[in-house]
Amino acid sequence: MVSPGQPSPGPFSAPPEIETLALGDLVADPAWRRPLLLEQDLLVLVTGGHGGAELDFQAVACRPGTLLRVRAGQVLRCAVPELDATVVRWAPEALRGFDVDPDAVPAWLQLAGEDEDAIITEVSQLTVDCERHRGVPDAAGLLRHQLAVLLLRLTLLPDAARPTPRAETVTFQRLCREVERGYQHTRRVEDYAAHLGCSVRTLTRACLAVTGRSAKQVVDDRVALQAQRLLAATDVPVAQIGRRLGFSEPTNFGRFFTREVGVSPGAFRAAREQPLTASPESTHGGAAGHHGAPALGAPTSGAPAPGAPVSGTPASPTGGSPERRSGRAGRETGTTGRVVRPRPPADTARDRRPA
């Protein structure tokens, strides 16, 4: 009921299926003190500035031409006010009916040359059309096709190419899918082996071949990653997080987390509540993750860890300790709303893709 003198509420407006926005519009806190747990898929195209970001607690260096592929369920945090970036955000139904796999886009790309020009053009036009046709139902098909073309371009880049899967890689990918469905209920490798119709030895051999870690470690990595996401990006009590992840007693969850991550859940949460203030030291991906897992964007024989897409370039399956480090919010646009690519500094003008 509306009280006298109050305006009637307007009709409910569903969030747009596809939209573009500035990096700072993702969070209400201008300092971005805590990671953001993403509910939708994103592309983040850096258009200006040099700074750092964290994707699933892995540090990445960003400069003009850096592109991040962030998946729903991951956590993201960026250094501000160091970076300008355009964000493309979409709901899963936006790609329904299109022969495109968004998970084939690597988590990190440093675009250069003609590839950078092509991607900037696609993002620019999508930005213009999202603004021009906002709320126009007849424009939905146009925006869907533009998003599909953008993702297809990214999957066809040389850095996005995937090697032919080996038998071990296929088995590992099947395990990843099962772990995604079941990690909140069981951490027993025997249960996953039974679901997949193979032996524990087969799963362990596949995990060792792809990641260098046992099947049990891969499953535990996925649980630890989800615990870190919830601790860093939400206010859910520690005991409740433990119950969500299948631990009947808070003490058992605390021991598990401390063993896997190196600090207690409370200490990890406290350490994440500070803004990023420095850029990662490496050109991309940061240092190796916890337990020596591959850093974000590092080659991993074409196979992901649980929590990462089965066909994309993975982040480390666990986030690393909080002691490890991991822009100006906004989008550089001209008067027409097109994304403007800044001229790269002299020391980076010759940079190419990482090997």
Side-chain angles (χ1 to χ4, degrees):
M1 177 180 293
V2 180
S3 302
Q6 290 184 338
S8 300
F12 172 76
S13 179
E17 189 178 65
I18 301 170
E19 62 179 333
T20 61
L21 58 156
L23 183 63
D25 292 338
L26 285 175
V27 291
D29 177 15
W32 206 322
R33 293 179 180 86
R34 299 175 65 181
L36 176 67
L37 183 63
L38 276 304
E39 297 180 354
Q40 291 183 308
D41 291 81
L42 305 179
L43 290 174
V44 180
L45 176 62
V46 178
T47 57
H50 288 66
E54 279 184 350
L55 179 53
D56 267 349
F57 312 105
Q58 290 295 295
V60 287
C62 298
R63 65 177 190 266
T66 298
L67 185 135
L68 303 178
R69 165 71 172 101
V70 189
R71 292 152 181 87
Q74 290 187 302
V75 291
L76 174 70
R77 187 165 60 147
C78 297
V80 290
E82 300 173 5
L83 296 176
D84 293 323
T86 297
V87 177
V88 180
R89 180 165 64 186
W90 69 92
E93 58 269 20
L95 294 172
R96 190 169 297 146
F98 288 94
D99 186 17
V100 56
D101 180 11
D103 287 342
V105 180
W108 182 96
L109 282 171
Q110 182 59 48
L111 304 171
E114 294 179 352
D115 293 331
E116 183 180 7
D117 292 338
I119 298 305
I120 286 177
T121 298
E122 297 288 354
V123 173
S124 298
Q125 191 60 55
L126 184 58
T127 299
V128 170
D129 288 334
C130 281
E131 294 176 355
R132 179 180 298 162
H133 304 300
R134 190 183 305 274
V136 179
D138 291 344
L142 170 66
L143 301 181
R144 291 171 187 165
H145 279 83
Q146 288 177 327
L147 175 63
V149 169
L150 171 61
L151 292 170
L152 283 170
R153 281 194 183 278
L154 290 168
T155 60
L156 292 173
L157 292 178
D159 283 356
R162 298 288 173 263
T164 302
R166 300 175 296 167
E168 292 89 350
T169 301
V170 173
T171 300
F172 177 76
Q173 291 173 340
R174 294 179 64 210
L175 173 63
C176 287
R177 297 186 185 98
E178 286 299 321
V179 171
E180 282 301 303
R181 286 190 283 263
Y183 71 86
Q184 295 179 332
H185 309 291
T186 180
R187 300 189 307 279
R188 298 179 71 249
V189 179
E190 293 82 359
D191 294 338
Y192 293 108
H195 276 99
L196 293 171
C198 61
S199 67
V200 171
R201 177 178 294 183
T202 297
L203 293 182
T204 296
R205 184 167 57 245
C207 291
L208 288 171
V210 174
T211 70
R213 294 174 63 70
S214 70
K216 174 59 175 171
Q217 289 170 325
V218 166
V219 175
D220 286 346
D221 285 345
R222 180 63 184 94
V223 176
L225 172 59
Q226 192 64 22
Q228 290 175 89
R229 289 172 172 174
L230 295 173
L231 286 166
T234 75
D235 293 319
V236 176
V238 173
Q240 187 175 338
I241 291 175
R243 287 193 295 272
R244 283 190 188 183
L245 298 176
F247 294 88
S248 58
E249 296 293 334
T251 53
N252 293 338
F253 172 63
R255 283 195 294 267
F256 168 85
F257 189 90
T258 302
R259 184 185 73 236
E260 293 298 313
V261 180
V263 295
S264 69
F268 180 86
R269 170 171 274 173
R272 308 313 297 183
E273 295 183 353
Q274 298 180 20
L276 292 177
T277 57
S279 304
E281 296 174 0
S282 62
T283 56
H284 78 286
H290 184 55
H291 294 309
L296 181 66
T300 54
S301 303
V310 296
S311 58
T313 303
S316 169
T318 62
S321 66
E323 287 78 8
R324 282 185 53 237
R325 271 195 299 105
S326 2
R328 179 173 62 241
R331 173 176 65 233
E332 290 200 2
T333 60
T335 56
T336 62
R338 293 177 63 82
V339 178
V340 178
R341 180 183 62 186
R343 184 181 300 277
D347 60 342
T348 61
R350 293 185 298 273
D351 287 352
R352 309 299 293 175
R353 293 184 217 277

